[in-house]
Amino acid sequence: MERSFDLIVFGATGFTGHLVAEYLQATYGAAGELRWALAGRDAAKLARVRDAIGARATLPLLTADASDVDALAALAARTRVILTTVGPYQLHGETLVLACAQAGTDYVDLCGEPAWMAKMIPRLQPMAAQSGARIVFSCGFDSIPFDLGVLFLQDEALRRFGRPLSRVRGRVRVLKGGPSGGTIASLLATIEQMRRDPSVARTMADPFALTPGFSGPAQPEGESASYDERAQSWTGPFVMAPINTKNVHRTNALLGHPWGRDFVYDERMLTGDGAKGEARARRLVRQSRVQNLLLAMAPTRALLRRFALPKPGEGPDAQARENGRYELVFIGETTEGALLRAHVIGDRDPGYGSTSKMISESALCLVQDVDGAMTGGGVWTPGAAMGMALVRRLQASAGLQFTIED
């Protein structure tokens, strides 16, 4: 079906949406081969974004509200892919993703909300499979560097050893830059949902919550301080592990379990060797427990919403985004004991600078690199939908580096 646009950025007046628009304009321009548009609920604000990023007045602006069923259906019908930064998705995302699934329109988002994803996957899969829509959740820092880091490592293992790595440790070595306001808002919305529905807590605790019909072996716990002999470092909890690990297991399942049905994966923060490393790991455990306790209290959540969350259009300045970075280490081993390590490095702060580039290139990868014969309609992860094509694109354009340690 002929569409007016290759890509529509929905939520372009928000802080991350603005960064996406800025990146697309700087990298691809508004008068090149890529046919793209900005969308949101306020035409005047969209025009200000267009002016701020230096785009021509011919860059189309489209208005639609996240709750307007007819407007979003019309929006989805006009483009090959929609990129949306309007979260929390459990509050504002359902109408748009359903419209895309029904219209055969590809979709990418920044969702790090496993309970909502687990609910939406069985609803979306039949209609997306029929329409040809590729629905790809979690195309930001959660969970692209982790999902693709494991895929990249496993791809090399199969080439070198002729067999997959049965156990992979994902370790965060450097993390400079805090979580985005959207991530915090999503966390608060999930906690509210857990209060209303006890089953949500079970979903959050299940590493295979996003693999309907499949439950693999017991996975390592991630809440304690422990010494990792493979990494030669103490480790502590990593706040994003509950979403990333689920996406990694879903990628394995969607690909037909090439890494084995008994694949084991976990994520932790590296804190260093020796007594100082142990002390830092134990401090992370204490901080995690205090955070969880405070977030369980309604007054704390109300204060966070009022004072801690960035207001719409707010976020770290350009210098803070450019000074941020992250470095991840993936350590894998086969059942025979062969070892392999990979590194993933990002050149901007994870929550905004790097995320805005990753989701942009994910959308373009679907448009330009991965056709329907390669990835049919359905609900996908970045690793399963785009795989090494996305790795190559991110390395070429988005400031990520994927390397094997020899």
Side-chain angles (χ1 to χ4, degrees):
M1 183 185 302
E2 182 61 32
R3 306 284 178 113
S4 301
F5 304 106
D6 297 314
L7 168 64
I8 290 175
V9 179
F10 185 67
T13 58
F15 190 80
T16 304
H18 187 137
L19 293 179
V20 168
E22 184 177 73
Y23 174 76
L24 290 171
Q25 170 62 24
T27 309
Y28 300 98
E33 294 182 1
L34 181 68
R35 303 170 303 158
W36 60 290
L38 304 180
R41 63 183 179 182
D42 190 313
K45 289 182 178 179
L46 287 170
R48 288 197 289 272
V49 171
R50 182 174 60 188
D51 293 343
I53 65 175
R56 295 183 180 185
T58 53
L59 178 65
L61 308 178
L62 310 172
T63 57
D65 187 272
S67 61
D68 189 328
V69 175
D70 293 336
L72 293 181
L75 199 71
R78 299 187 65 184
T79 186
R80 295 174 64 188
V81 61
I82 285 184
L83 180 165
T84 174
T85 62
V86 181
Y89 296 93
Q90 60 195 279
L91 301 180
H92 308 298
E94 186 170 318
T95 303
L96 178 58
V97 72
L98 286 170
C100 288
Q102 291 165 350
T105 300
D106 296 339
Y107 165 101
V108 295
D109 70 16
L110 299 173
C111 188
E113 304 163 39
W116 182 74
M117 293 161 64
K119 182 181 79 170
M120 294 304 297
I121 286 169
R123 288 186 62 190
L124 293 167
Q125 180 61 35
M127 64 180 74
Q130 182 174 5
S131 72
R134 280 93 57 90
I135 308 297
V136 190
F137 296 130
S138 306
C139 292
F141 185 64
D142 46 345
S143 296
I144 276 182
F146 304 90
D147 187 26
L148 294 186
V150 175
L151 182 90
F152 176 78
L153 183 67
Q154 291 281 18
D155 185 73
E156 182 66 20
L158 290 169
R159 185 163 30 251
R160 291 193 182 195
F161 308 137
R163 58 181 59 84
L165 304 162
S166 59
R167 170 80 165 96
V168 173
R169 295 167 169 85
R171 300 294 180 254
V172 181
R173 176 175 286 168
V174 176
L175 190 63
K176 187 177 181 184
S180 70
T183 297
I184 297 171
S186 293
L187 174 62
L188 294 176
T190 298
I191 291 169
E192 291 289 354
Q193 191 181 13
M194 289 169 66
R195 289 181 62 251
R196 296 190 299 270
D197 182 358
S199 69
V200 173
R202 294 192 294 272
T203 299
M204 295 297 293
D206 181 3
F208 298 97
L210 302 184
T211 58
F214 174 78
S215 184
Q219 302 291 305
E221 60 83 22
E223 302 302 319
S224 67
S226 65
Y227 190 77
D228 187 337
E229 291 287 351
R230 296 299 188 198
Q232 292 292 290
S233 172
W234 280 89
T235 67
F238 176 47
V239 66
M240 293 172 63
I243 173 60
N244 293 332
T245 53
K246 291 175 178 59
N247 274 322
V248 168
H249 284 300
R250 179 163 173 78
T251 292
N252 187 34
L254 288 171
L255 294 175
H257 295 102
W259 313 331
R261 299 176 70 86
D262 56 352
F263 176 62
V264 175
Y265 175 70
D266 72 323
E267 290 178 1
R268 285 178 164 270
M269 291 282 298
L270 296 176
T271 59
D273 204 359
K276 289 184 178 179
E278 181 180 4
R280 283 190 288 267
R282 297 195 183 284
R283 187 161 58 248
L284 278 179
V285 172
R286 291 193 296 272
Q287 290 171 351
S288 177
R289 289 172 178 170
V290 170
Q291 172 187 289
N292 291 339
L293 180 62
L294 290 174
L295 288 175
M297 302 167 61
T300 302
R301 297 194 297 276
L303 288 172
L304 283 172
R305 288 193 181 90
R306 185 172 181 182
F307 298 110
L309 285 176
K311 301 297 185 292
E314 293 182 350
D317 61 24
Q319 182 177 358
R321 297 194 304 271
E322 291 173 5
N323 288 340
R325 61 185 297 268
Y326 53 91
E327 181 177 348
L328 315 176
V329 182
F330 297 91
I331 307 168
E333 55 190 292
T334 67
T335 53
E336 293 80 12
L339 295 175
L340 193 63
R341 293 175 182 242
H343 296 259
V344 177
I345 297 174
D347 70 346
R348 294 290 188 273
D349 77 297
Y352 293 102
S354 188
T355 280
S356 60
K357 295 191 292 184
M358 286 188 282
I359 191 172
S360 298
E361 294 298 338
S362 297
L364 296 179
C365 190
L366 288 174
V367 170
Q368 299 175 348
D369 302 337
V370 182
D371 62 25
M374 300 168 65
T375 302
V379 185
W380 296 92
T381 60
M386 294 169 273
M388 294 300 293
L390 184 55
V391 170
R392 291 188 290 271
R393 181 177 274 276
L394 294 174
Q395 293 199 114
S397 303
L400 271 71
Q401 300 174 40
F402 292 77
T403 58
I404 295 294
E405 182 181 298
D406 287 313

